[in-house]
Structure formats: structure tokens, C-alpha cells
Amino acid sequence: MSISAIDNRASSGALETYVPALGRLLLAAIFLLSGVGKVFAPGATQGYIAAAGLPAPFLAYLVAVAVEVVGGALLVLGYQTRAVALVLAVFTLATAFGFHHNFAEQNQMIHFMKNLAITGGLLQVVAFGAGAFSLDGRR
């Protein structure tokens, strides 16, 4: 199958409708799971933030929960998607540098690169929007 055949199929509608929605869901899953996990472990999360040397662990905890849970849900729904994806991209990049900066440790380097990849996916959403199967697409 040639690239042009794939391009022609992509313009048929189904790919443009459902693939962006699936992409948003897959990107949002990590934020939703992480945010809900933080809700159920506030002490451990604040301890982790403090151990990383970041200021105001309680405030950082509240921001992280809000960004991850609300941002993840809005990303799934496709509401204000470009703005939400930009906030999540900045948040993800900040967490990469705040928590995964020990490049001598292989696991931290993997987490850092994972965060960069997620940021790249979110920037694609910023650039191209939510797609047709979204609240943004209904407006």
C-alpha cells in the first residue's frame, strides 16, 4: 500500500473522525490514572514532591491533581482541546525536569524521554485540534 493510498483513505472521514479521539483518550489515560492515584494518596504524593526539592508540596499537589484529573477529562471529551493540551504539555515538560533529571539513572532517563514523547503528542493536539469526534468538533 502506498502512502498516497493511505492519504486518500485518511480523507474518507473515519480516520479523521475516530483516530484523533483515540489519540486523545490514550494521551489522557496517563493523566487520569495518575491524578486519581494522587487523590487517594495525598501524603505520599506530597512527600514525593518535597523529596524532589520542589517548593510548596501541598500547593503543588493541588495543582497536579487539578491539571491531571480535569485536564485529562477535558482532553477525552475534546473540550477546549488546544488550550488543555498546551497546559498538559507544559505540565508534562515541567514534571520531566522537576522529577526525572537524574540522567545517570537509566530509569529516570526513560521517564524523562517518556515525558518528552507525551509532550510531543500533546503538541500535535495543540497544532491539529481535537478532531471531529469531540465537543470542540460539535461547535
Side-chain angles (χ1 to χ4, degrees):
M1 178 177 291
S2 71
I3 297 295
S4 62
I6 293 171
D7 287 343
N8 288 336
R9 281 191 193 163
S11 63
S12 69
L15 236 60
E16 291 172 352
T17 301
Y18 299 110
V19 170
L22 178 60
R24 290 192 331 268
L25 178 64
L26 293 173
L27 281 168
I30 195 166
F31 295 104
L32 290 169
L33 290 173
S34 180
V36 169
K38 285 174 177 62
V39 167
F40 289 107
T45 303
Q46 291 171 56
Y48 183 62
I49 293 167
L54 298 174
F58 180 70
L59 179 60
Y61 165 77
L62 292 176
V63 169
V65 168
V67 168
E68 291 179 347
V69 173
V70 175
L74 291 175
L75 191 63
V76 169
L77 295 172
Y79 182 73
Q80 296 293 317
T81 311
R82 290 176 194 251
V84 168
L86 184 60
V87 168
L88 288 170
V90 170
F91 175 81
T92 304
L93 201 56
T95 59
F97 285 103
F99 293 96
H100 307 302
H101 51 77
N102 182 5
F103 299 137
E105 188 180 327
Q106 183 180 13
N107 190 42
Q108 290 301 310
M109 177 61 103
I110 291 167
H111 282 292
F112 183 84
M113 297 303 294
K114 171 212 38 134
N115 281 32
L116 289 184
I118 293 168
T119 299
L122 290 165
L123 290 176
Q124 289 288 308
V125 175
V126 171
F128 299 107
F133 193 66
S134 65
L135 292 176
D136 288 347
R138 297 190 81 184
R139 288 191 275 149

